[in-house]
Amino acid sequence: MQGKAGGVTLAVIGAVLILAAAVLKFIVVPGMAQFPDDVDTTRYYSGTLSMLNPQAVATGDLANLFMQDVPITIDRTVTTEEVDGGDALVKDEAFIKAPDGTVLLGGADLYTIDRKTMEAVDNFTDNSAVIDADGLVIGWPIGSEKDDYDGWNGDVKETVPATFVQEVERHDRTVYEYHAQSAPKVIVDEATLANFPPAFPKEFLGQVGPVLGLPDEVLAQLPAMLEQIPGDTVPLEYTYGFDKTYWIDPTTGVLIDIDVSEQRYVGVPGMPVPLATVYDLNYTPTQESINDAIKDADDNGGMLNLFGTTVPFAAGGVGLVLLILGLGMIYRKQS
């Protein structure tokens, strides 16, 4: 009986280990592969910014109307604010700063996302500030694929494709490269438009034309164009275009590197082309942030591999051996 009892014990332990391995691999780990409920991550970027100076516009200060190629830094912090099962309320806060630390632009956006797909979902909270969005809004999903994704363009409130380009080595690791771009489209986001004047006095527009760097042919046509517009002011329309390249760790969805160029243009409604560029921002991550992103990808990827592959296979393998030994002991005793 002792041999049979020992065989039963080994078989039971083996079966439990096999079951535990299956539960860990197919239930527990997939539950881990989602946007965490405790994210509080800050990344830093550097680059240059040229833009219309709102204060100079307000005071008519033509000498300081345009800030040209100002070195800037960007602090971006993403935090999980609330979780409801597979959905999360996420805050994406970014500030563009001058060399002396003065905040030039910035603010916080709130999104509700599916924690697995990372795509925007309907607002499940009572916070009315949540942005009604579609597609990816703050990053890529865990287990990113060699496929195209739809990303959210908040300025124009529509999605734009982020196209898979290639699998490539970058910063000594294999990443997926994606590319997104958009020709200038009319800005409808009120928060963005608040950074620019909605109209210019006709007289002021005539004066600022050369300062804005308008082409000679546009300057020549400007007086006639202004005469055709009723009233003393000229309504303005702003458009937004960009070109962005992303390098994503495919296992974890962590953004390892990014190269961004985005522009906003001013024009007069009905004109076929913009008058001038009033915002030109170009930036990339600091080396410190690249290193932090790589560490996050290694840490998170290591956990996923450990509990998704190593532990289940080890537990399943040991369990199978014990099950076979136990059944062998039972069978030999019975025979």
Side-chain angles (χ1 to χ4, degrees):
M1 289 293 295
Q2 185 175 359
K4 179 179 180 180
V8 170
T9 299
L10 288 178
V12 169
I13 294 174
V16 169
L17 285 175
I18 293 173
L19 178 61
V23 170
L24 185 61
K25 182 171 183 61
F26 298 109
I27 297 178
V28 175
V29 171
M32 295 170 55
Q34 62 182 0
F35 191 78
D37 59 7
D38 59 352
V39 171
D40 187 356
T41 302
T42 300
R43 295 283 187 259
Y44 302 96
Y45 307 85
S46 62
T48 60
L49 172 66
S50 300
M51 69 172 291
L52 196 66
N53 186 343
Q55 294 180 341
V57 172
T59 60
D61 182 5
L62 295 182
N64 297 295
L65 185 65
F66 205 72
M67 299 185 294
Q68 187 71 39
D69 293 328
V70 177
I72 55 91
T73 57
I74 302 175
D75 301 352
R76 183 196 181 198
T77 301
V78 175
T79 54
T80 307
E81 300 293 300
E82 184 180 338
V83 166
D84 181 18
D87 298 333
L89 172 65
V90 181
K91 181 168 69 173
D92 185 0
E93 190 172 40
F95 294 98
I96 300 176
K97 299 180 179 180
D100 62 359
T102 301
V103 175
L104 300 175
L105 293 169
D109 293 325
L110 291 172
Y111 302 100
T112 45
I113 65 168
D114 182 302
R115 297 171 66 193
K116 288 186 179 294
T117 67
M118 297 296 284
E119 294 179 338
V121 297
D122 292 339
N123 183 13
F124 63 86
T125 76
D126 57 3
N127 192 326
S128 61
V130 172
I131 295 173
D132 183 15
D134 289 306
L136 302 180
V137 288
I138 61 165
W140 263 253
I142 294 173
S144 297
E145 299 181 354
K146 296 179 180 180
D147 203 354
D148 300 344
Y149 290 87
D150 286 331
W152 180 243
N153 182 344
D155 271 25
V156 303
K157 296 190 180 298
E158 63 179 37
T159 58
V160 61
T163 305
F164 174 77
V165 178
Q166 62 181 334
E167 180 179 312
V168 66
E169 292 294 315
R170 192 170 182 85
H171 306 297
D172 297 323
R173 66 188 302 112
T174 301
V175 295
Y176 289 174
E177 180 180 318
Y178 300 88
H179 181 249
Q181 63 180 353
S182 174
K185 295 185 177 181
V186 176
I187 298 173
V188 296
D189 179 61
E190 293 181 357
T192 301
L193 292 173
N195 295 306
F196 303 100
F200 272 163
K202 284 185 177 180
E203 180 180 358
F204 187 57
L205 183 58
Q207 294 173 346
V208 302
V211 180
L212 290 175
L214 300 185
D216 291 340
E217 58 270 22
V218 175
L219 288 173
Q221 298 172 11
L222 195 58
M225 182 194 72
L226 294 178
E227 288 182 3
Q228 297 176 9
I229 299 175
D232 296 327
T233 60
V234 179
L236 300 177
E237 179 179 75
Y238 295 90
T239 54
Y240 171 65
F242 64 84
D243 190 294
K244 302 180 181 181
T245 303
Y246 310 82
W247 290 274
I248 305 296
D249 178 76
T251 301
T252 61
V254 171
L255 175 67
I256 300 297
D257 199 354
I258 187 173
D259 190 347
V260 174
S261 178
E262 55 183 42
Q263 292 78 33
R264 296 184 175 99
Y265 307 90
V266 63
V268 176
M271 284 190 62
V273 294
L275 284 175
T277 303
V278 292
Y279 178 99
D280 187 356
L281 175 65
N282 299 272
Y283 65 88
T284 56
T286 64
Q287 187 60 52
E288 177 187 2
S289 279
I290 291 174
N291 294 340
D292 288 344
I294 291 173
K295 183 177 185 305
D296 286 349
D298 287 341
D299 291 346
N300 297 338
M303 291 290 290
L304 290 172
N305 287 329
L306 176 64
F307 291 106
T309 302
T310 305
V311 173
F313 275 103
V318 172
L320 181 61
V321 171
L322 293 179
L323 179 61
I324 292 173
L325 289 175
L327 292 176
M329 293 173 64
I330 296 171
Y331 176 77
R332 284 197 301 272
K333 186 65 179 179
Q334 288 178 340
S335 61

